[in-house]
């Protein structure tokens, strides 16, 4: 007790340099007023104050002040750190800045007893164990000791936290209040002191405190503000960074991605076929070289990966045959050369790599180079189709091909895809097949003939009926254009044709074979 | 439109047309209204003021335009040379005698939008007092626009058959003295 009075001059420490002056002044005033009661109370026992008030005082608090409780005598200072075990110097974390705010808010003379800045149990053992007299059981004390007090303290601290908008302090305060209550609660059991249970409690508290400190640090990191001049630089660095594979970035699970790919396309792929489809020969080569360079035993780390060449060939041939049948059905007048031109266009590298990129196949392909070159993407795309053929059969694969390749023809003109040199000759041939005489070109209208920007409209007449009309810069160009228009009309590939019907189910190879065999 | 290739479609859309209007017995204001629409390019669905999509208009027989009412004597065309005592006022008759294309020109100039495109549009207007047109312009023409006013027929322009065929309200008796 005596040592407590000597060492417990927290007021001196309270008015240290870190505390703002208003609190210190108030503390001084209160000390002078209530010194008598303070010394009385402190001599009895170490007692955490009744109320830990940081908000503006309520009526109840004022009442307690008027009653002149021994506890309401000293301004409260929350200790900087409560160390349950070990030295205070061991803790590397700085004092949470939130607690500063807590003390800087000027509060009315709460008159609470101040514990020292750093309390460590090693220095100061729990004094209530040494007490001889039980604490005076005043009516206020009794209600104070109830669990409701914990709740009140918690709620007050929460209020304070809410008012100041800092959740961190809430946690630390609730932690502290927990600590307070636990220490406070034990005087009841003073008669039966169980050291083991106390030790357990202390360990729990220690762990809890450490968690809180870590959480605090995390929050502080997360809430850092990036200044606007730093933001531009970071964005530039992000853009200048060399492109990296998606598989090298965080949150990548290859197996799950493959499954998700299958699910996303609403298809039922067999996963090993699909995985084989994504493996390219360049990847296998580069991987074997890498493993050789690492000088590992070949048998141990043999690459059991198959190429996607076979699947790619299967997929390509299936797509071509399927598309041939589609176009033959849709455009019966189109000659085989035209159909071939359309299919050649749809299976070019550009179209296939465009579709593949938009299906995110470039993220899943295993390839030596990055960004994935278009021929690799083309091969992988048709390998995926081959895998689908192996997993689900020709009908589903046909629907897949129709859904992803045929829309690439939207907005495209026939003669953009099918380069023809002599449309007039072609037209004469087509008309001859139908026993129609050769067309006669006539100038329908012209404007600005003597200017540098003339326009001529030439019409083609078969048996005095116009079959097509086309504009042009010169008479020859206009005649050629008219021939092209006539061909488009003959083949049924005009701009105003009916759009492709995706809902119509097409007979697949298997069914056709069955029909043919029957 | 009708399944043209892209280049051909674009060429046809943005080509500049040449229109012909005959001004014989037409009010110059109505002629001007027609030509202004075509000079600006407002008759095209791809019109935009900044697109420079206006066409050429050739007006022939501007000497034979017809003002309604007493405008030939009463309409005054004023101008000031900028020098003191340079205010000139001419009636329509006088101006027409001086320059047979001036009336139509003034009418069109006044109807065009008052911006810097106006001069360009006036350069695309070609006025001829009679129906004699230079050959190069004649080659450029695309179509003739219909005249805004229906020309009434003079009595001496009717043939005897038409006069006889015209229904009579009543047939006067033989000895009816017609004043």
């Amino acid at each position: 007790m005596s040592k407590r009075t000597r060492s417990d001059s927290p007021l001196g420490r309270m008015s240290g340099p870190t505390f703002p002056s208003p609190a210190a002044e108030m503390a001084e005033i209160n000390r002078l007023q209530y010194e008598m009661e303070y010394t009385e109370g402190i001599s009895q026992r170490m007692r955490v104050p009744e109320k830990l008030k940081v908000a503006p005082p309520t009526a109840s608090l004022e009442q307690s002040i008027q009653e002149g409780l021994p506890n309401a005598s000293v301004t409260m200072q929350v200790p900087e750190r409560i160390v349950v075990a070990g030295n205070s110097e061991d803790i590397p974390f700085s004092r949470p800045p939130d607690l500063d705010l807590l003390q800087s808010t000027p509060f009315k003379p709460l008159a609470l007893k101040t514990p020292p800045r750093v309390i460590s149990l090693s220095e100061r053992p729990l004094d209530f164990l040494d007490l001889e007299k039980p604490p005076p059981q005043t009516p206020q004390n009794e209600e104070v000791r109830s669990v409701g007090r914990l709740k009140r303290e918690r709620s007050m601290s929460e209020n304070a936290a809410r008012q100041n908008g800092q959740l961190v302090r809430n946690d630390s305060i609730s932690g502290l209040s927990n600590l307070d209550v636990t220490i406070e609660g034990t005087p009841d059991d003073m008669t039966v002191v169980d050291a083991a249970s106390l030790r357990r409690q202390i360990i729990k508290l220690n762990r809890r405190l450490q968690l809180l400190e870590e959480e605090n640090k995390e929050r502080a990191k997360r809430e850092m503000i990036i200044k606007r001049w730093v933001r531009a630089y970071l964005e530039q660095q992000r853009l200048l960074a060399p492109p990296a594979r998606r598989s090298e970035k965080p949150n990548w699970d290859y197996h799950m991605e493959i499954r998700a790919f299958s699910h996303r396309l609403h298809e039922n792929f067999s996963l090993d076929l699909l995985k084989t489809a994504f493996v390219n020969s360049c990847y296998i080569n580069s991987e074997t070289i890498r493993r050789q360079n690492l000088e590992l035993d070949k048998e141990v780390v043999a690459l059991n990966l198959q190429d996607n060449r076979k699947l790619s060939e299967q997929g390509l041939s299936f797509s071509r045959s399927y598309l041939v049948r589609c176009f033959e059905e849709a455009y019966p007048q189109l000659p085989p050369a035209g159909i071939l031109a359309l299919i050649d266009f749809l299976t070019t590298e550009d179209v296939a790599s465009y579709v593949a990129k938009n299906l995110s196949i470039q993220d899943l392909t295993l390839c030596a180079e990055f960004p994935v070159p278009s021929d690799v993407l083309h091969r992988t795309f048709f390998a995926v189709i081959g895998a689908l053929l192996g997993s689900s059969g020709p009908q589903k694969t046909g629907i897949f091909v129709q859904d992803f390749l045929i829309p690439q023809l939207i907005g495209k003109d026939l003669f953009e895809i099918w380069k023809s040199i002599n449309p007039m000759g072609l037209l004469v041939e087509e008309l001859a097949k139908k026993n129609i005489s050769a067309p006669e070109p006539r100038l329908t209208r012209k404007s600005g003939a003597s200017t540098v920007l003339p326009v001529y409209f030439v019409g083609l007449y078969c048996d005095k009926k116009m079959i097509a009309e086309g504009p042009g810069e010169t008479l020859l160009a206009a005649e050629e254009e008219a021939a092209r228009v006539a061909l488009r009309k003959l083949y049924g590939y005009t701009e105003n044709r009916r759009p492709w019907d995706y809902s119509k189910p097409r007979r697949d190879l298997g069914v056709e074979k069955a029909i043919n065999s029957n | 439109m009708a399944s043209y290739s892209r280049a051909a479609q674009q060429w046809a859309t943005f080509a500049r047309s040449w229109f012909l209007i005959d001004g014989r017995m037409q009010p110059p204001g109505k002629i001007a209204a027609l030509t202004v629409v075509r000079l600006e390019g407002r008759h095209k669905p791809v019109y935009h003021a900044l697109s420079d999509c206006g066409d050429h208009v050739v007006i022939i027989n501007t000497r034979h335009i017809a003002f309604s009412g007493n405008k030939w004597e009463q309409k005054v065309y004023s101008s000031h040379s900028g020098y003191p005592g340079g205010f000139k006022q001419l009636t329509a008759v006088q101006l027409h005698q001086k320059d047979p294309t001036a009336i139509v020109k003034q009418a069109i100039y006044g109807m065009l939008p008052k911006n810097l495109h106006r001069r360009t549009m006036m350069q695309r207007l070609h006025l001829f007092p009679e129906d004699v047109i230079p050959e190069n312009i004649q080659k450029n023409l695309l179509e003739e626009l219909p005249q805004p006013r229906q020309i009434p027929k003079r009595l001496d322009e009717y043939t005897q058959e038409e006069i006889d065929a015209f229904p009579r309200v009543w047939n006067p008796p033989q000895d009816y003295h017609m004043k």
Side-chain angles (χ1 to χ4, degrees):
Chain A
M1 273 146 276
S2 59
K3 74 177 172 192
R4 225 183 300 130
T5 45
R6 227 195 358 246
S7 52
D8 268 19
S9 52
L11 291 172
R13 278 189 235 178
M14 210 169 56
S15 52
T18 54
F19 290 101
S21 47
E25 277 173 12
M26 276 200 291
E28 278 299 309
I29 294 161
N30 293 326
R31 187 175 71 85
L32 296 164
Q33 276 183 333
Y34 297 108
E35 201 168 340
M36 285 289 291
E37 291 163 351
Y38 161 77
T39 43
E40 245 180 52
I42 204 170
S43 64
Q44 301 283 323
R45 64 189 188 280
M46 180 179 111
R47 214 186 135 173
V48 176
E50 193 177 8
K51 285 179 188 161
L52 210 70
K53 191 82 179 174
V54 295
T58 55
S60 59
L61 192 58
E62 280 164 357
Q63 274 176 21
S64 73
I65 291 165
Q66 284 155 19
E67 283 159 26
L69 283 171
N71 293 338
S73 61
V74 179
T75 46
M76 195 275 295
Q77 289 294 341
V78 180
E80 190 180 42
R81 229 171 283 139
I82 297 175
V83 180
V84 183
N87 297 326
S88 58
E89 293 84 37
D90 287 348
I91 300 166
F93 305 128
S94 65
R95 168 161 210 278
D98 310 307
L99 289 177
D100 269 331
L101 283 167
L102 175 68
Q103 276 138 41
S104 63
T105 52
F107 41 86
K108 287 272 184 76
L110 286 177
L112 299 166
K113 209 203 85 168
T114 57
R117 271 290 200 93
V118 182
I119 305 170
S120 76
L121 267 180
S122 52
E123 286 172 24
R124 188 160 302 130
L126 297 172
D127 289 321
F128 53 77
L129 293 171
D130 301 336
L131 290 174
E132 290 142 17
K133 291 188 243 176
Q137 296 287 326
T138 55
Q140 278 111 357
N141 293 347
E142 273 191 349
E143 69 189 32
V144 150
R145 285 175 192 280
S146 66
V147 181
R149 176 184 156 187
L150 165 64
K151 285 189 191 149
R152 243 188 307 143
E153 274 186 353
R154 266 234 184 95
S155 63
M156 276 195 280
S157 63
E158 271 166 15
N159 276 334
R162 245 179 266 122
Q163 278 170 18
N164 291 297
Q166 295 277 348
L167 284 166
V168 178
R169 212 184 321 128
N170 184 17
D171 283 339
S172 51
I173 287 167
S174 60
L176 292 169
S177 62
N178 259 339
L179 183 69
D180 296 340
V181 169
T182 331
I183 296 169
E184 185 51 46
T186 43
D188 284 329
D189 315 319
M190 242 176 287
T191 49
V192 185
V193 173
D194 192 7
S197 70
L198 274 171
R199 222 175 284 131
R200 261 184 272 124
Q201 280 176 358
I202 287 160
I203 289 163
K204 269 190 234 164
L205 288 164
N206 193 10
R207 223 179 291 135
R208 180 126 190 240
L209 264 173
Q210 278 175 356
L211 277 168
L212 284 168
E213 294 263 25
E214 276 164 24
E215 209 181 329
N216 221 357
K217 202 175 163 225
E218 288 275 313
R219 278 221 188 91
K221 239 192 258 176
R222 257 181 274 144
E223 286 166 8
M224 194 169 61
I225 302 165
I226 304 173
K227 298 286 178 183
R228 99 185 129 73
W229 51 86
V230 178
R231 221 181 269 276
Y233 174 72
L234 290 175
E235 183 65 24
Q236 188 200 40
Q237 293 300 97
R238 187 182 74 88
L239 291 170
L240 283 175
R245 290 193 174 88
R246 177 68 188 84
S247 41
E248 285 157 16
K249 293 183 187 167
N251 292 331
W252 178 261
D253 182 350
Y254 191 65
H255 179 76
M256 284 298 145
E257 291 288 339
I258 297 266
R259 277 186 67 184
F261 177 80
S262 162
H263 184 72
R264 198 167 3 110
L265 295 174
H266 297 286
E267 298 285 356
N268 215 2
F269 281 95
S270 90
L271 291 179
D272 47 311
L273 264 180
L274 190 54
K275 283 187 185 173
T276 324
F278 286 120
V279 174
N280 289 294
S281 53
C282 54
Y283 174 78
I284 293 176
N285 291 339
S286 68
E287 272 296 299
T288 44
I289 289 167
R290 198 167 68 89
R291 284 171 198 226
Q292 276 172 13
N293 289 343
L294 289 170
E295 287 164 6
L296 295 166
D297 203 7
K298 269 194 191 170
E299 287 136 17
V300 174
V301 285
L303 259 183
N304 285 336
L305 289 177
Q306 268 193 342
D307 225 339
N308 64 359
R309 211 174 309 153
K310 221 174 78 175
L311 281 173
S312 170
E313 283 161 16
Q314 279 174 7
L316 189 60
S317 64
F318 174 82
S319 314
R320 288 186 76 99
S321 61
Y322 179 80
L323 286 170
V324 162
R325 271 179 292 112
C326 276
F327 289 133
E328 275 171 1
E329 208 182 312
Y331 307 115
Q333 283 108 13
L334 198 56
I339 293 178
L340 195 66
L342 287 176
I343 290 163
D344 280 340
F345 169 72
L346 287 179
T347 52
T348 46
E349 272 180 21
D350 293 333
V351 169
S353 64
Y354 172 77
V355 178
K357 273 194 193 142
N358 284 288
L359 289 174
S360 79
I361 284 175
Q362 89 279 19
D363 289 336
L364 293 164
T365 38
L366 299 170
C367 177
E369 300 127 30
F370 187 82
V372 186
S374 59
D375 57 332
V376 173
L377 273 176
H378 170 263
R379 206 185 318 139
T380 318
F381 176 67
F382 286 106
V384 166
I385 292 177
L388 182 60
L389 187 63
S391 325
S392 311
Q395 201 163 29
K396 285 253 171 182
T397 319
I399 294 170
F400 182 91
V401 167
Q402 176 193 255
D403 283 345
F404 284 106
L405 283 182
I406 291 181
Q408 303 305 316
L409 284 175
I410 291 172
K412 290 255 186 309
D413 182 39
L414 178 65
F415 292 109
E416 270 179 29
I417 301 166
W418 181 19
K419 309 278 181 208
S420 67
I421 307 164
N422 186 13
M424 197 49 150
L426 198 59
L427 176 66
V428 170
E429 276 173 31
E430 292 288 328
L431 290 174
K433 278 183 214 167
K434 298 188 180 182
N435 293 327
I436 302 172
S437 55
E440 292 176 12
R442 294 279 182 272
L443 185 65
T444 14
R445 55 171 90 172
K446 65 175 174 65
S447 173
S450 68
T451 60
V452 294
L453 305 168
V455 64
Y456 300 95
F457 276 79
V458 167
L460 293 173
Y461 292 84
C462 286
D463 300 328
K464 296 190 182 165
K465 270 203 219 149
M466 192 163 87
I467 54 169
E469 192 187 16
E473 200 178 330
T474 58
L475 281 162
L476 286 170
E479 197 185 325
E480 194 191 318
E481 184 56 36
R484 283 186 203 272
V485 173
L487 281 171
R488 284 191 199 105
K489 281 187 180 169
L490 277 174
Y491 297 150
Y493 208 93
T494 52
E495 256 181 55
N496 58 352
R497 67 187 184 276
R498 282 196 84 90
W500 191 272
D501 188 2
Y502 293 91
S503 59
K504 202 164 71 169
R506 291 178 202 279
R507 293 174 304 158
D508 59 334
L509 269 167
V511 175
E512 266 188 14
K513 276 190 188 154
I515 289 166
N516 289 341
S517 66
N518 287 344
Chain B
M1 199 192 84
S3 308
Y4 298 149
S5 324
R6 268 185 232 281
Q9 173 68 70
Q10 186 162 9
W11 188 264
T13 312
F14 293 102
R16 202 163 278 145
S17 324
W18 286 69
F19 295 103
L20 181 71
I21 301 179
D22 189 358
R24 187 177 286 279
M25 294 298 285
Q26 302 301 311
K30 290 215 164 110
I31 295 280
L34 284 184
T35 62
V36 158
V37 165
R38 301 239 168 0
L39 285 172
E40 283 179 33
R42 279 186 195 269
H43 62 295
K44 294 182 179 173
V46 293
Y47 166 78
H48 189 271
L50 303 172
S51 300
D52 191 19
C53 47
D55 291 333
H56 291 256
V57 179
V58 176
I59 308 181
I60 54 174
N61 290 324
T62 55
R63 182 169 279 138
H64 306 283
I65 52 170
F67 265 121
S68 57
N70 296 329
K71 283 187 212 145
W72 283 114
E73 278 77 32
Q74 289 174 346
K75 192 166 173 67
V76 173
Y77 289 87
S78 323
S79 64
H80 200 292
S81 64
Y83 292 96
F87 186 54
K88 278 212 184 91
Q89 280 183 307
L90 293 169
T91 56
V93 193
Q94 290 163 334
L95 182 65
H96 197 65
Q97 274 166 356
K98 205 171 124 191
D99 178 13
T101 63
I103 288 178
V104 178
K105 193 164 169 193
Q106 288 283 16
I108 292 170
Y109 192 77
M111 288 196 190
L112 284 171
K114 314 293 179 286
N115 54 28
L116 292 173
H117 292 121
R118 183 162 59 164
R119 300 260 163 171
T120 321
M121 290 184 218
M122 286 302 283
Q123 286 197 322
R124 294 196 179 130
L125 173 69
H126 311 274
L127 298 165
F128 300 99
E130 307 290 344
D131 54 5
V132 173
I133 313 173
E135 206 185 311
N136 54 350
I137 292 180
Q138 197 162 22
K139 274 201 280 191
N140 294 343
L141 291 172
L142 171 65
E143 69 170 320
E144 185 177 350
L145 300 175
Q147 289 186 313
R149 174 191 182 231
Q150 231 182 358
I151 305 172
K153 259 177 159 174
R154 284 196 314 269
L155 191 60
D156 57 348
E157 282 171 4
Y158 282 98
T159 57
Q160 189 56 44
E161 293 88 22
E162 278 171 326
I163 294 167
D164 293 334
F166 202 85
R168 285 175 173 265
V169 177
W170 66 295
N171 285 324
Q174 292 289 338
D175 53 356
Y176 188 81
H177 176 60
M178 204 95 75
K179 281 231 182 102

